[in-house]
Each structure stands twice: as structure tokens, then as C-alpha cells.
Amino acid sequence: MEQVEVPEEEILVFPRGVVGFEEYGRYALFQLEDPMYLLQAVDDPDVGFLLLKPQLVEPSYQVPLSRDDRVLLGLRSGEQPELLSIVTLSKDGNPETVNLRAPVAINFSRGLGTQIIPQESSYPVRYSLPVSPDGTLQLDPPEARHASAGRRNGSQDLEASRC
Amino acid sequence: MLILTRRSGEAITIGADIELTVLEVSGDHVRLGIQAPRQVPVLRKELREEVERENRLAASSQGRLPLRLAGTLRRAGIQGVPSR
């Protein structure tokens, strides 16, 4: 198992934890092979979630934030959190579904995160990911190209800030 | 389980911070008003259970990630800018 030291200032605090994992409130976000991220609990190596940007599968993806969510995330008016959706792998270890119903929202400037569960939503908990026969994600159909370009810009911003 | 009888318009409190009001009763439908601190998520039970089940599946499936993916682990900066 790979061991990584996470500086205190890069730890993301989830005041309510993640649903079903309320006892874990501290996470670190890692970028994996594009387009995947890993949200890893700092206090237990067995608790982690694979994530991807929901806009990659639904370019117009949006989620309503309640006032409580906004306060919890420490968002100032006009600020929007980064949204990431939790991926579930198949038995073979290939990406299978993504949870568009209840995304993780992170306010990086405050280091705060939470799982958003709108009371009403038309997005499914298990959205089937487009996967090729060899198990790799097929996320660049023509209609997603626009969203993909936006994602690349976002990634650059993430990278640039490491310097 | 504690069982209390309430009429429409009446409320119960849970601890000092949570208040549950019966707003309307009609047939087998009950409308409830809930006041709770923002740290206490209030959800329809079946929705919470569905999300929790999927979170558990996702967390336990995460370990099946092939090494070629896990091998490229690198830290993402936290000063991210929203992608929109």
C-alpha cells in the first residue's frame, strides 16, 4: 500500500462526514489517472471514494444547494463549490456507475466538503458509465467535447496551484 | 419506540434543537414540518438508505482499482477553481 503524507493545510474537513461514514470527517483529495479523483479518509486507509466530475457524463449537470449546504461549505454569495460524483466499480474493478443523485461538493478555498442530497432530483444514484469492452471509460463522445475542454482547464488550475 | 399522539398543528421537540410539526393530515398522507440544526441532515428514510448503500458499495469497490491507476497517484492542489 502506498503511504502518502498529507500536509495539514490540504486536509478537507467534512463536518457531516459522508452518508454512512459519518465518523470520518477528514479527507484528502488525490488526482488519479484522468478523469478520476480519489477522496481518501485521512484516518482510515480502507475508507475512500473514487470520483469524477459529473459534467463529463452530463454536460449541463447542476445541483441545487440549500442554504444549510452553503453555510456548511462556507460559501460566500456568488461562490460555487466544485462538484464531484462518486464512482462504483464492477466486480472486475472497472468503472460501472456514478452517483449523480448525491454528489460531493467541495469548497477548496475553505477546505470544506459535504455530500449534497437534494430532496428532489431527476438524477439517478446509479448512472451507468459508458465503458468500452476492455473496461476503460468512454467519456469523449462529440456531445461531451465541450464539457471535456472545461475539465482540462479545471485540471490545469488544480495543478498550477501546487507550485 | 416512543409513540405519541399529535393533532394537526401540534409539534414535538427532540432535544433542544429539533422540532417536528404535524402540518396536515389527510387520508394516509401526513405533512410534517421539521426544524433542525444544519449539521443534522433531514432526509426521507428510503433516500438516505439508497445513498448510504451506494456509498458503501463505492467505498468497498474502490480497493479493486487496478494498480495502473493507483500507481499514478499524485496530490491535487486544494486551491482548485470551479470548472464552470
Side-chain angles (χ1 to χ4, degrees):
Chain A
M1 184 178 294
E2 190 167 353
Q3 197 160 353
V4 183
E5 202 153 309
V6 180
E8 195 70 31
E9 65 272 17
E10 293 203 2
I11 289 176
L12 302 171
V13 174
F14 282 58
R16 296 198 299 215
V18 173
V19 178
F21 295 85
E22 283 77 7
E23 61 271 47
Y24 302 101
R26 305 195 308 151
Y27 288 86
L29 184 71
F30 297 91
Q31 191 167 9
L32 302 178
E33 195 172 284
D34 196 43
M36 302 284 257
Y37 296 84
L38 173 66
L39 185 68
Q40 175 63 51
V42 175
D43 302 306
D44 188 336
D46 290 333
V47 176
F49 302 92
L50 296 172
L51 309 166
L52 56 74
K53 293 189 177 177
Q55 292 88 355
L56 292 182
V57 290
E58 280 285 333
S60 61
Y61 186 83
Q62 278 187 331
V63 75
L65 293 180
S66 70
R67 212 185 87 83
D68 284 351
D69 291 329
R70 295 191 60 86
V71 172
L72 200 83
L73 289 166
L75 292 166
R76 285 184 291 242
S77 67
E79 282 184 329
Q80 291 298 324
E82 187 82 37
L83 296 177
L84 291 163
S85 288
I86 300 176
V87 173
T88 303
L89 301 182
S90 68
K91 295 259 185 295
D92 311 323
N94 292 317
E96 188 169 50
T97 63
V98 63
N99 182 349
L100 297 183
R101 181 69 174 84
V104 168
I106 298 172
N107 177 3
F108 284 100
S109 62
R110 295 284 307 275
L112 288 167
T114 190
Q115 186 171 21
I116 306 287
I117 310 183
Q119 299 292 349
E120 312 292 341
S121 164
S122 57
Y123 292 116
V125 167
R126 293 178 61 80
Y127 178 101
S128 291
L129 284 166
V131 175
S132 72
D134 68 349
T136 51
L137 274 178
Q138 300 286 299
L139 284 176
D140 275 320
E143 67 270 22
R145 222 162 264 160
H146 178 70
S148 170
R151 156 173 57 93
R152 270 190 277 280
N153 290 338
S155 301
Q156 278 166 13
D157 290 334
L158 280 172
E159 298 235 319
S161 65
R162 296 161 66 209
C163 309
Chain B
M1 186 189 287
L2 171 68
I3 299 172
L4 302 169
T5 304
R6 300 273 63 192
R7 292 173 196 283
S8 183
E10 294 180 339
I12 63 165
T13 60
I14 301 172
D17 299 334
I18 299 176
E19 190 172 309
L20 193 71
T21 308
V22 179
L23 297 175
E24 192 185 320
V25 183
S26 134
D28 63 350
H29 284 256
V30 180
R31 290 185 73 220
L32 301 171
I34 302 131
Q35 275 195 315
R38 64 178 59 92
Q39 304 93 303
V40 179
V42 177
L43 291 167
R44 293 179 177 87
K45 185 179 177 182
E46 60 275 21
L47 175 58
R48 187 198 156 79
E49 286 177 339
E50 189 186 7
V51 171
E52 179 171 341
R53 197 180 319 123
E54 194 59 29
N55 282 350
R56 290 192 182 284
L57 265 178
S60 64
S61 81
Q62 174 256 128
R64 290 198 284 271
L65 192 70
L67 277 177
R68 67 185 157 86
L69 214 55
T72 62
L73 193 86
R74 60 198 155 99
R75 203 184 315 139
I78 77 156
Q79 302 300 323
V81 175
S83 56
R84 275 155 294 132

PDB file of all heavy atoms in Angstrom, chain A residues 3-31:
ATOM      1  N   GLN A   3       1.942   4.879   0.895  1.00  0.00           N
ATOM      2  CA  GLN A   3       1.704   5.774   2.024  1.00  0.00           C
ATOM      3  C   GLN A   3       2.064   7.192   1.621  1.00  0.00           C
ATOM      4  O   GLN A   3       3.136   7.430   1.071  1.00  0.00           O
ATOM      5  CB  GLN A   3       2.543   5.333   3.227  1.00  0.00           C
ATOM      6  CG  GLN A   3       2.044   5.944   4.516  1.00  0.00           C
ATOM      7  CD  GLN A   3       2.522   5.165   5.722  1.00  0.00           C
ATOM      8  OE1 GLN A   3       3.110   4.103   5.597  1.00  0.00           O
ATOM      9  NE2 GLN A   3       2.277   5.709   6.903  1.00  0.00           N
ATOM     10  N   VAL A   4       1.164   8.100   1.853  1.00  0.00           N
ATOM     11  CA  VAL A   4       1.373   9.481   1.437  1.00  0.00           C
ATOM     12  C   VAL A   4       1.142  10.393   2.631  1.00  0.00           C
ATOM     13  O   VAL A   4       0.205  10.197   3.393  1.00  0.00           O
ATOM     14  CB  VAL A   4       0.376   9.877   0.323  1.00  0.00           C
ATOM     15  CG1 VAL A   4       0.648  11.287  -0.170  1.00  0.00           C
ATOM     16  CG2 VAL A   4       0.453   8.895  -0.834  1.00  0.00           C
ATOM     17  N   GLU A   5       2.028  11.347   2.784  1.00  0.00           N
ATOM     18  CA  GLU A   5       1.840  12.314   3.855  1.00  0.00           C
ATOM     19  C   GLU A   5       1.062  13.510   3.314  1.00  0.00           C
ATOM     20  O   GLU A   5       1.397  14.049   2.267  1.00  0.00           O
ATOM     21  CB  GLU A   5       3.200  12.766   4.385  1.00  0.00           C
ATOM     22  CG  GLU A   5       3.101  13.324   5.780  1.00  0.00           C
ATOM     23  CD  GLU A   5       4.418  13.146   6.540  1.00  0.00           C
ATOM     24  OE1 GLU A   5       4.953  12.020   6.570  1.00  0.00           O
ATOM     25  OE2 GLU A   5       4.897  14.150   7.066  1.00  0.00           O
ATOM     26  N   VAL A   6       0.016  13.872   4.022  1.00  0.00           N
ATOM     27  CA  VAL A   6      -0.807  14.994   3.568  1.00  0.00           C
ATOM     28  C   VAL A   6      -0.605  16.168   4.523  1.00  0.00           C
ATOM     29  O   VAL A   6      -0.861  16.048   5.718  1.00  0.00           O
ATOM     30  CB  VAL A   6      -2.303  14.607   3.537  1.00  0.00           C
ATOM     31  CG1 VAL A   6      -3.146  15.780   3.057  1.00  0.00           C
ATOM     32  CG2 VAL A   6      -2.514  13.398   2.645  1.00  0.00           C
ATOM     33  N   PRO A   7      -0.112  17.300   4.004  1.00  0.00           N
ATOM     34  CA  PRO A   7       0.065  18.468   4.875  1.00  0.00           C
ATOM     35  C   PRO A   7      -1.281  18.888   5.479  1.00  0.00           C
ATOM     36  O   PRO A   7      -2.313  18.818   4.810  1.00  0.00           O
ATOM     37  CB  PRO A   7       0.588  19.557   3.931  1.00  0.00           C
ATOM     38  CG  PRO A   7       0.997  18.863   2.683  1.00  0.00           C
ATOM     39  CD  PRO A   7       0.232  17.585   2.604  1.00  0.00           C
ATOM     40  N   GLU A   8      -1.228  19.317   6.723  1.00  0.00           N
ATOM     41  CA  GLU A   8      -2.447  19.704   7.449  1.00  0.00           C
ATOM     42  C   GLU A   8      -3.331  20.656   6.621  1.00  0.00           C
ATOM     43  O   GLU A   8      -4.551  20.513   6.581  1.00  0.00           O
ATOM     44  CB  GLU A   8      -2.034  20.388   8.768  1.00  0.00           C
ATOM     45  CG  GLU A   8      -3.145  20.531   9.782  1.00  0.00           C
ATOM     46  CD  GLU A   8      -3.586  19.198  10.399  1.00  0.00           C
ATOM     47  OE1 GLU A   8      -2.735  18.295  10.523  1.00  0.00           O
ATOM     48  OE2 GLU A   8      -4.779  19.076  10.732  1.00  0.00           O
ATOM     49  N   GLU A   9      -2.691  21.604   5.921  1.00  0.00           N
ATOM     50  CA  GLU A   9      -3.492  22.619   5.229  1.00  0.00           C
ATOM     51  C   GLU A   9      -4.197  22.065   3.979  1.00  0.00           C
ATOM     52  O   GLU A   9      -5.015  22.736   3.390  1.00  0.00           O
ATOM     53  CB  GLU A   9      -2.640  23.847   4.876  1.00  0.00           C
ATOM     54  CG  GLU A   9      -1.527  23.596   3.865  1.00  0.00           C
ATOM     55  CD  GLU A   9      -0.215  23.149   4.523  1.00  0.00           C
ATOM     56  OE1 GLU A   9      -0.259  22.725   5.699  1.00  0.00           O
ATOM     57  OE2 GLU A   9       0.827  23.226   3.856  1.00  0.00           O
ATOM     58  N   GLU A  10      -3.857  20.844   3.576  1.00  0.00           N
ATOM     59  CA  GLU A  10      -4.529  20.267   2.419  1.00  0.00           C
ATOM     60  C   GLU A  10      -5.652  19.313   2.813  1.00  0.00           C
ATOM     61  O   GLU A  10      -6.311  18.727   1.971  1.00  0.00           O
ATOM     62  CB  GLU A  10      -3.523  19.535   1.524  1.00  0.00           C
ATOM     63  CG  GLU A  10      -2.546  20.487   0.867  1.00  0.00           C
ATOM     64  CD  GLU A  10      -1.922  19.922  -0.392  1.00  0.00           C
ATOM     65  OE1 GLU A  10      -2.278  18.786  -0.776  1.00  0.00           O
ATOM     66  OE2 GLU A  10      -1.083  20.618  -0.971  1.00  0.00           O
ATOM     67  N   ILE A  11      -5.856  19.154   4.120  1.00  0.00           N
ATOM     68  CA  ILE A  11      -6.921  18.260   4.574  1.00  0.00           C
ATOM     69  C   ILE A  11      -8.270  18.947   4.397  1.00  0.00           C
ATOM     70  O   ILE A  11      -8.441  20.122   4.716  1.00  0.00           O
ATOM     71  CB  ILE A  11      -6.688  17.852   6.049  1.00  0.00           C
ATOM     72  CG1 ILE A  11      -5.489  16.891   6.117  1.00  0.00           C
ATOM     73  CG2 ILE A  11      -7.933  17.202   6.644  1.00  0.00           C
ATOM     74  CD1 ILE A  11      -5.084  16.478   7.496  1.00  0.00           C
ATOM     75  N   LEU A  12      -9.202  18.198   3.826  1.00  0.00           N
ATOM     76  CA  LEU A  12     -10.552  18.716   3.634  1.00  0.00           C
ATOM     77  C   LEU A  12     -11.428  18.224   4.782  1.00  0.00           C
ATOM     78  O   LEU A  12     -11.452  17.030   5.080  1.00  0.00           O
ATOM     79  CB  LEU A  12     -11.132  18.213   2.303  1.00  0.00           C
ATOM     80  CG  LEU A  12     -10.338  18.573   1.045  1.00  0.00           C
ATOM     81  CD1 LEU A  12     -10.893  17.842  -0.173  1.00  0.00           C
ATOM     82  CD2 LEU A  12     -10.350  20.083   0.810  1.00  0.00           C
ATOM     83  N   VAL A  13     -12.124  19.144   5.414  1.00  0.00           N
ATOM     84  CA  VAL A  13     -12.978  18.781   6.545  1.00  0.00           C
ATOM     85  C   VAL A  13     -14.422  18.611   6.057  1.00  0.00           C
ATOM     86  O   VAL A  13     -14.967  19.490   5.382  1.00  0.00           O
ATOM     87  CB  VAL A  13     -12.908  19.863   7.646  1.00  0.00           C
ATOM     88  CG1 VAL A  13     -13.916  19.572   8.758  1.00  0.00           C
ATOM     89  CG2 VAL A  13     -11.495  19.927   8.218  1.00  0.00           C
ATOM     90  N   PHE A  14     -14.995  17.458   6.349  1.00  0.00           N
ATOM     91  CA  PHE A  14     -16.406  17.181   6.055  1.00  0.00           C
ATOM     92  C   PHE A  14     -17.156  17.167   7.386  1.00  0.00           C
ATOM     93  O   PHE A  14     -17.173  16.140   8.076  1.00  0.00           O
ATOM     94  CB  PHE A  14     -16.556  15.823   5.341  1.00  0.00           C
ATOM     95  CG  PHE A  14     -16.220  15.846   3.884  1.00  0.00           C
ATOM     96  CD1 PHE A  14     -14.973  16.242   3.440  1.00  0.00           C
ATOM     97  CD2 PHE A  14     -17.169  15.460   2.940  1.00  0.00           C
ATOM     98  CE1 PHE A  14     -14.667  16.268   2.075  1.00  0.00           C
ATOM     99  CE2 PHE A  14     -16.882  15.484   1.585  1.00  0.00           C
ATOM    100  CZ  PHE A  14     -15.627  15.887   1.146  1.00  0.00           C
ATOM    101  N   PRO A  15     -17.757  18.304   7.780  1.00  0.00           N
ATOM    102  CA  PRO A  15     -18.367  18.388   9.116  1.00  0.00           C
ATOM    103  C   PRO A  15     -19.445  17.325   9.352  1.00  0.00           C
ATOM    104  O   PRO A  15     -19.650  16.915  10.488  1.00  0.00           O
ATOM    105  CB  PRO A  15     -18.979  19.796   9.133  1.00  0.00           C
ATOM    106  CG  PRO A  15     -18.242  20.554   8.073  1.00  0.00           C
ATOM    107  CD  PRO A  15     -17.897  19.549   7.022  1.00  0.00           C
ATOM    108  N   ARG A  16     -20.128  16.894   8.285  1.00  0.00           N
ATOM    109  CA  ARG A  16     -21.166  15.863   8.435  1.00  0.00           C
ATOM    110  C   ARG A  16     -20.685  14.509   7.936  1.00  0.00           C
ATOM    111  O   ARG A  16     -21.466  13.576   7.814  1.00  0.00           O
ATOM    112  CB  ARG A  16     -22.427  16.231   7.625  1.00  0.00           C
ATOM    113  CG  ARG A  16     -23.119  17.478   8.090  1.00  0.00           C
ATOM    114  CD  ARG A  16     -24.532  17.553   7.566  1.00  0.00           C
ATOM    115  NE  ARG A  16     -24.622  17.580   6.129  1.00  0.00           N
ATOM    116  CZ  ARG A  16     -25.539  18.255   5.448  1.00  0.00           C
ATOM    117  NH1 ARG A  16     -26.425  18.984   6.097  1.00  0.00           N
ATOM    118  NH2 ARG A  16     -25.576  18.216   4.147  1.00  0.00           N
ATOM    119  N   GLY A  17     -19.407  14.418   7.610  1.00  0.00           N
ATOM    120  CA  GLY A  17     -18.890  13.184   7.034  1.00  0.00           C
ATOM    121  C   GLY A  17     -19.503  12.927   5.670  1.00  0.00           C
ATOM    122  O   GLY A  17     -19.927  13.846   4.982  1.00  0.00           O
ATOM    123  N   VAL A  18     -19.528  11.669   5.272  1.00  0.00           N
ATOM    124  CA  VAL A  18     -20.184  11.236   4.045  1.00  0.00           C
ATOM    125  C   VAL A  18     -21.271  10.259   4.499  1.00  0.00           C
ATOM    126  O   VAL A  18     -21.066   9.525   5.470  1.00  0.00           O
ATOM    127  CB  VAL A  18     -19.163  10.533   3.108  1.00  0.00           C
ATOM    128  CG1 VAL A  18     -19.846   9.915   1.891  1.00  0.00           C
ATOM    129  CG2 VAL A  18     -18.088  11.533   2.661  1.00  0.00           C
ATOM    130  N   VAL A  19     -22.427  10.254   3.838  1.00  0.00           N
ATOM    131  CA  VAL A  19     -23.567   9.448   4.303  1.00  0.00           C
ATOM    132  C   VAL A  19     -23.145   7.991   4.512  1.00  0.00           C
ATOM    133  O   VAL A  19     -22.610   7.346   3.605  1.00  0.00           O
ATOM    134  CB  VAL A  19     -24.738   9.539   3.305  1.00  0.00           C
ATOM    135  CG1 VAL A  19     -25.899   8.656   3.765  1.00  0.00           C
ATOM    136  CG2 VAL A  19     -25.190  10.982   3.177  1.00  0.00           C
ATOM    137  N   GLY A  20     -23.367   7.484   5.710  1.00  0.00           N
ATOM    138  CA  GLY A  20     -22.955   6.118   6.050  1.00  0.00           C
ATOM    139  C   GLY A  20     -21.552   6.067   6.634  1.00  0.00           C
ATOM    140  O   GLY A  20     -21.126   5.037   7.154  1.00  0.00           O
ATOM    141  N   PHE A  21     -20.823   7.164   6.513  1.00  0.00           N
ATOM    142  CA  PHE A  21     -19.446   7.228   7.024  1.00  0.00           C
ATOM    143  C   PHE A  21     -19.302   8.494   7.877  1.00  0.00           C
ATOM    144  O   PHE A  21     -18.327   9.231   7.751  1.00  0.00           O
ATOM    145  CB  PHE A  21     -18.439   7.240   5.865  1.00  0.00           C
ATOM    146  CG  PHE A  21     -18.448   5.954   5.060  1.00  0.00           C
ATOM    147  CD1 PHE A  21     -19.359   5.788   4.026  1.00  0.00           C
ATOM    148  CD2 PHE A  21     -17.566   4.921   5.354  1.00  0.00           C
ATOM    149  CE1 PHE A  21     -19.384   4.600   3.291  1.00  0.00           C
ATOM    150  CE2 PHE A  21     -17.587   3.743   4.627  1.00  0.00           C
ATOM    151  CZ  PHE A  21     -18.501   3.575   3.595  1.00  0.00           C
ATOM    152  N   GLU A  22     -20.282   8.723   8.714  1.00  0.00           N
ATOM    153  CA  GLU A  22     -20.335   9.975   9.483  1.00  0.00           C
ATOM    154  C   GLU A  22     -19.153  10.111  10.441  1.00  0.00           C
ATOM    155  O   GLU A  22     -18.821  11.216  10.866  1.00  0.00           O
ATOM    156  CB  GLU A  22     -21.654  10.067  10.257  1.00  0.00           C
ATOM    157  CG  GLU A  22     -22.861  10.461   9.397  1.00  0.00           C
ATOM    158  CD  GLU A  22     -23.409   9.323   8.544  1.00  0.00           C
ATOM    159  OE1 GLU A  22     -22.931   8.171   8.708  1.00  0.00           O
ATOM    160  OE2 GLU A  22     -24.294   9.569   7.713  1.00  0.00           O
ATOM    161  N   GLU A  23     -18.536   8.967  10.801  1.00  0.00           N
ATOM    162  CA  GLU A  23     -17.444   9.041  11.779  1.00  0.00           C
ATOM    163  C   GLU A  23     -16.137   9.541  11.163  1.00  0.00           C
ATOM    164  O   GLU A  23     -15.183   9.812  11.881  1.00  0.00           O
ATOM    165  CB  GLU A  23     -17.248   7.681  12.464  1.00  0.00           C
ATOM    166  CG  GLU A  23     -16.870   6.532  11.529  1.00  0.00           C
ATOM    167  CD  GLU A  23     -18.071   5.793  10.930  1.00  0.00           C
ATOM    168  OE1 GLU A  23     -19.017   6.450  10.450  1.00  0.00           O
ATOM    169  OE2 GLU A  23     -18.043   4.549  10.917  1.00  0.00           O
ATOM    170  N   TYR A  24     -16.091   9.652   9.828  1.00  0.00           N
ATOM    171  CA  TYR A  24     -14.874  10.149   9.176  1.00  0.00           C
ATOM    172  C   TYR A  24     -15.102  11.557   8.659  1.00  0.00           C
ATOM    173  O   TYR A  24     -15.919  11.771   7.758  1.00  0.00           O
ATOM    174  CB  TYR A  24     -14.466   9.233   8.014  1.00  0.00           C
ATOM    175  CG  TYR A  24     -14.235   7.813   8.474  1.00  0.00           C
ATOM    176  CD1 TYR A  24     -15.198   6.830   8.281  1.00  0.00           C
ATOM    177  CD2 TYR A  24     -13.054   7.472   9.136  1.00  0.00           C
ATOM    178  CE1 TYR A  24     -14.987   5.526   8.720  1.00  0.00           C
ATOM    179  CE2 TYR A  24     -12.841   6.181   9.586  1.00  0.00           C
ATOM    180  CZ  TYR A  24     -13.816   5.214   9.384  1.00  0.00           C
ATOM    181  OH  TYR A  24     -13.612   3.943   9.827  1.00  0.00           O
ATOM    182  N   GLY A  25     -14.383  12.503   9.245  1.00  0.00           N
ATOM    183  CA  GLY A  25     -14.606  13.895   8.880  1.00  0.00           C
ATOM    184  C   GLY A  25     -13.430  14.547   8.177  1.00  0.00           C
ATOM    185  O   GLY A  25     -13.509  15.704   7.781  1.00  0.00           O
ATOM    186  N   ARG A  26     -12.317  13.788   8.027  1.00  0.00           N
ATOM    187  CA  ARG A  26     -11.142  14.417   7.410  1.00  0.00           C
ATOM    188  C   ARG A  26     -10.712  13.612   6.186  1.00  0.00           C
ATOM    189  O   ARG A  26     -10.504  12.399   6.256  1.00  0.00           O
ATOM    190  CB  ARG A  26      -9.985  14.488   8.413  1.00  0.00           C
ATOM    191  CG  ARG A  26     -10.368  15.201   9.706  1.00  0.00           C
ATOM    192  CD  ARG A  26      -9.156  15.568  10.515  1.00  0.00           C
ATOM    193  NE  ARG A  26      -8.264  14.433  10.751  1.00  0.00           N
ATOM    194  CZ  ARG A  26      -6.957  14.551  10.926  1.00  0.00           C
ATOM    195  NH1 ARG A  26      -6.377  15.732  10.870  1.00  0.00           N
ATOM    196  NH2 ARG A  26      -6.224  13.476  11.150  1.00  0.00           N
ATOM    197  N   TYR A  27     -10.586  14.293   5.079  1.00  0.00           N
ATOM    198  CA  TYR A  27     -10.260  13.629   3.815  1.00  0.00           C
ATOM    199  C   TYR A  27      -9.143  14.368   3.095  1.00  0.00           C
ATOM    200  O   TYR A  27      -8.874  15.544   3.360  1.00  0.00           O
ATOM    201  CB  TYR A  27     -11.490  13.587   2.899  1.00  0.00           C
ATOM    202  CG  TYR A  27     -12.552  12.605   3.351  1.00  0.00           C
ATOM    203  CD1 TYR A  27     -13.517  12.985   4.275  1.00  0.00           C
ATOM    204  CD2 TYR A  27     -12.575  11.301   2.869  1.00  0.00           C
ATOM    205  CE1 TYR A  27     -14.482  12.087   4.711  1.00  0.00           C
ATOM    206  CE2 TYR A  27     -13.536  10.400   3.292  1.00  0.00           C
ATOM    207  CZ  TYR A  27     -14.483  10.800   4.207  1.00  0.00           C
ATOM    208  OH  TYR A  27     -15.432   9.906   4.632  1.00  0.00           O
ATOM    209  N   ALA A  28      -8.506  13.645   2.167  1.00  0.00           N
ATOM    210  CA  ALA A  28      -7.567  14.287   1.246  1.00  0.00           C
ATOM    211  C   ALA A  28      -7.995  13.896  -0.165  1.00  0.00           C
ATOM    212  O   ALA A  28      -8.437  12.768  -0.398  1.00  0.00           O
ATOM    213  CB  ALA A  28      -6.145  13.813   1.509  1.00  0.00           C
ATOM    214  N   LEU A  29      -7.891  14.843  -1.080  1.00  0.00           N
ATOM    215  CA  LEU A  29      -8.283  14.576  -2.463  1.00  0.00           C
ATOM    216  C   LEU A  29      -7.036  14.372  -3.315  1.00  0.00           C
ATOM    217  O   LEU A  29      -6.128  15.203  -3.309  1.00  0.00           O
ATOM    218  CB  LEU A  29      -9.108  15.741  -3.013  1.00  0.00           C
ATOM    219  CG  LEU A  29      -9.657  15.526  -4.428  1.00  0.00           C
ATOM    220  CD1 LEU A  29     -10.769  14.488  -4.414  1.00  0.00           C
ATOM    221  CD2 LEU A  29     -10.178  16.840  -4.997  1.00  0.00           C
ATOM    222  N   PHE A  30      -7.010  13.273  -4.032  1.00  0.00           N
ATOM    223  CA  PHE A  30      -5.883  12.988  -4.918  1.00  0.00           C
ATOM    224  C   PHE A  30      -6.375  12.908  -6.347  1.00  0.00           C
ATOM    225  O   PHE A  30      -7.479  12.434  -6.610  1.00  0.00           O
ATOM    226  CB  PHE A  30      -5.235  11.648  -4.558  1.00  0.00           C
ATOM    227  CG  PHE A  30      -4.651  11.614  -3.186  1.00  0.00           C
ATOM    228  CD1 PHE A  30      -5.408  11.191  -2.114  1.00  0.00           C
ATOM    229  CD2 PHE A  30      -3.349  12.034  -2.968  1.00  0.00           C
ATOM    230  CE1 PHE A  30      -4.867  11.169  -0.836  1.00  0.00           C
ATOM    231  CE2 PHE A  30      -2.808  12.009  -1.693  1.00  0.00           C
ATOM    232  CZ  PHE A  30      -3.565  11.572  -0.627  1.00  0.00           C
ATOM    233  N   GLN A  31      -5.530  13.369  -7.252  1.00  0.00           N
ATOM    234  CA  GLN A  31      -5.856  13.201  -8.653  1.00  0.00           C
ATOM    235  C   GLN A  31      -5.256  11.891  -9.119  1.00  0.00           C
ATOM    236  O   GLN A  31      -4.072  11.630  -8.919  1.00  0.00           O
ATOM    237  CB  GLN A  31      -5.298  14.361  -9.469  1.00  0.00           C
ATOM    238  CG  GLN A  31      -5.839  14.344 -10.882  1.00  0.00           C
ATOM    239  CD  GLN A  31      -5.563  15.641 -11.607  1.00  0.00           C
ATOM    240  OE1 GLN A  31      -4.825  16.494 -11.127  1.00  0.00           O
ATOM    241  NE2 GLN A  31      -6.154  15.787 -12.773  1.00  0.00           N
TER     242      GLN A  31
END
